[in-house]
């Protein structure tokens, strides 16, 4: 199973930007859908943020459309989440995942350990 490692989280003021990276232990160019979820608190349900297919089709949660951009570099086995205009409600642990599916939905099958993003007001 592929291993995923997130990086790039941290503390930022509202209105600021961060770029998260997710490095996979092996090739992600073989059709895997790559995505990001977040969990705002331990008791809160993990929610989908964005995902991207191997062909480059993207899908975003309404709450992040226009502010977050997901991209992938198959040559580097890495997926990115560029986040701008961050809001305090974006504070969460962000998890990278790899799965199978298409441009409208997918099923995550492998998860990273998560990276904390904290947005101060």
């Amino acid at each position: 199973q592929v291993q995923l490692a997130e990086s790039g989280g941290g503390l930022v003021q509202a209105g600021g930007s961060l770029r998260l990276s997710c490095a996979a232990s092996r090739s992600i160019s073989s059709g895997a859908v790559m995505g990001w979820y977040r969990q705002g608190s331990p008791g809160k349900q993990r929610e989908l943020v964005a995902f991207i297919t191997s062909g480059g089709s993207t899908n975003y949660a309404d709450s992040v459309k226009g502010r977050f951009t997901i991209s992938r570099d198959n040559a580097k086995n890495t997926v990115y989440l560029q986040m701008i205009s961050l809001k305090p409600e974006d504070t969460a642990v962000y998890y990278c995942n790899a799965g199978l599916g298409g441009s409208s939905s997918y099923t995550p099958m492998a998860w990273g350990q998560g990276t904390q993003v904290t947005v101060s007001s």
Side-chain angles (χ1 to χ4, degrees), residues 47-66:
E47 63 176 357
L48 173 67
V49 176
F51 65 91
I52 183 168
T53 68
S54 58
S57 296
T58 57
N59 199 312
Y60 297 91
D62 288 343
S63 59
V64 306
K65 280 181 181 176

Side-chain angles (χ1 to χ4, degrees), residues 21-46:
S21 298
C22 172
S25 61
R26 58 176 176 79
S27 175
I28 60 170
S29 62
S30 58
V33 178
M34 304 297 297
W36 290 92
Y37 275 64
R38 66 186 181 186
Q39 186 170 19
S41 62
K44 195 174 180 180
Q45 188 172 3
R46 199 174 288 189

Side-chain angles (χ1 to χ4, degrees):
Q1 190 174 8
V2 63
Q3 304 296 315
L4 302 170
E6 303 96 335
S7 62
L11 173 64
V12 64
Q13 289 188 332
S17 303
L18 281 175
R19 187 177 82 155
L20 306 183
S21 298
C22 172
S25 61
R26 58 176 176 79
S27 175
I28 60 170
S29 62
S30 58
V33 178
M34 304 297 297
W36 290 92
Y37 275 64
R38 66 186 181 186
Q39 186 170 19
S41 62
K44 195 174 180 180
Q45 188 172 3
R46 199 174 288 189
E47 63 176 357
L48 173 67
V49 176
F51 65 91
I52 183 168
T53 68
S54 58
S57 296
T58 57
N59 199 312
Y60 297 91
D62 288 343
S63 59
V64 306
K65 280 181 181 176
R67 299 187 300 121
F68 292 10
T69 302
I70 189 170
S71 61
R72 61 193 289 167
D73 185 336
N74 290 338
K76 296 182 177 179
N77 298 328
T78 301
V79 178
Y80 304 97
L81 186 68
Q82 178 69 51
M83 306 183 293
I84 66 171
S85 302
L86 283 161
K87 305 174 181 180
E89 50 263 45
D90 294 319
T91 295
V93 178
Y94 284 70
Y95 297 91
C96 173
N97 58 69
L100 297 175
S103 59
S104 58
S105 68
Y106 77 111
T107 300
M109 301 178 71
W111 294 85
Q113 294 298 308
T115 185
Q116 176 72 47
V117 171
T118 302
V119 184
S120 63
S121 57

